Amino acid sequence: MYYELATLTTRLFVTAQATEAIQAWVQAPEARGRLLGCWYSDIGAINQILVLRGFETEAELLTERRRALLASSPFNCGELLTGLEMHSYAGFPWMEPPAPGSYGPVYEVRTYQYKTGGLQPTLDAWKAALPARNEISPCLLAMYALDGTPRFTHFWPAASLNERSAARADAVKQGVWPPKGGPDWLTSNMQSQIFMPTAISPLK
């Protein structure tokens, strides 16, 4: 599965208007792929909407990317935006695409940059460690970037911030996380944001 992760930075107080426009964009007859998640930022950089879509092929993803690039109002949000970023990803190969459902309502989205040559060791380390980590709290999706700086992004839903913090501490205490050898391939460039589902998000 291929993914597009779009970050829409908006003007103040337009989240509801923007999400309605996004819904019309992804449901248009010419649209490709399917909407997986749509969240608004709550902690970290604010006034952002994160849109995650899944595609069966890279060609389908690129067709949809061109539609946005050529549009006078991408995501039907042109007049509402102060910034727009769109990035392409491939899922970690053993992970199934997330199915619609209620997993949150708190979503931590983390992005780590890895060192040159670090993708395969990262995939191997995560594959070995993630089953035990998922017993504590599941990773909804992990995917690596196909463009820009080498990096991977992962989504961790939780019922609350306290639950998320407790799960992270428990995983470290039990010795199941971080993956053995995984941190050796990471740079110090790491980012984390907390997002909440919008009304149109299939992932709640």
Side-chain angles (χ1 to χ4, degrees), residues 83-108:
L84 173 62
E85 294 185 11
M86 297 174 287
H87 299 282
S88 305
Y89 286 85
F92 280 22
W94 66 90
M95 295 188 73
E96 294 293 326
S102 297
Y103 301 91
V106 171
Y107 285 77
E108 183 181 22

Side-chain angles (χ1 to χ4, degrees), residues 119-204:
L119 179 56
Q120 190 61 56
T122 296
L123 293 174
D124 294 341
W126 273 61
K127 186 175 183 179
L130 198 56
R133 179 63 179 84
N134 282 342
E135 291 296 319
I136 299 171
S137 69
C139 177
L140 184 66
L141 175 64
M143 55 190 191
Y144 60 91
L146 298 173
D147 48 24
T149 303
R151 67 200 185 281
F152 63 99
T153 295
H154 35 121
F155 293 73
W156 299 88
S160 67
L161 285 174
N162 286 341
E163 180 187 88
R164 174 70 186 130
S165 296
R168 291 181 58 82
D170 193 20
V172 173
K173 182 178 180 180
Q174 292 187 35
V176 301
W177 205 256
K180 297 295 187 294
D184 295 342
W185 290 97
L186 300 179
T187 74
S188 60
N189 195 320
M190 304 176 181
Q191 298 177 359
S192 175
Q193 277 183 273
I194 298 297
F195 289 87
M196 309 289 281
T198 66
I200 70 169
S201 183
L203 298 173
K204 300 295 186 183

Side-chain angles (χ1 to χ4, degrees), residues 2-157:
Y2 298 91
Y3 300 96
E4 179 184 77
L5 191 62
T7 303
L8 288 70
T9 304
T10 70
R11 296 191 283 105
L12 293 174
F13 312 125
V14 298
T15 299
Q17 184 180 352
T19 53
E20 289 181 4
I22 292 165
Q23 185 173 41
W25 176 267
V26 300
Q27 292 180 347
E30 67 273 22
R32 299 290 187 271
R34 59 189 176 95
L35 178 67
L36 296 175
C38 183
W39 303 270
Y40 65 90
S41 58
D42 186 60
I43 297 177
I46 58 173
N47 299 316
Q48 290 189 338
I49 299 175
L50 201 64
V51 180
L52 176 68
R53 289 186 290 173
F55 301 87
E56 295 296 332
T57 66
E58 286 185 275
E60 187 180 47
L61 187 157
L62 290 173
T63 296
E64 187 65 7
R65 178 68 54 77
R66 290 189 187 95
R67 183 167 79 101
L69 292 172
L70 293 170
S72 60
S73 181
F75 293 87
N76 293 331
C77 289
E79 64 180 14
L80 306 177
L81 298 181
T82 62
L84 173 62
E85 294 185 11
M86 297 174 287
H87 299 282
S88 305
Y89 286 85
F92 280 22
W94 66 90
M95 295 188 73
E96 294 293 326
S102 297
Y103 301 91
V106 171
Y107 285 77
E108 183 181 22
V109 181
R110 288 186 164 237
T111 297
Y112 296 165
Q113 291 186 15
Y114 56 84
K115 298 174 184 176
T116 302
L119 179 56
Q120 190 61 56
T122 296
L123 293 174
D124 294 341
W126 273 61
K127 186 175 183 179
L130 198 56
R133 179 63 179 84
N134 282 342
E135 291 296 319
I136 299 171
S137 69
C139 177
L140 184 66
L141 175 64
M143 55 190 191
Y144 60 91
L146 298 173
D147 48 24
T149 303
R151 67 200 185 281
F152 63 99
T153 295
H154 35 121
F155 293 73
W156 299 88

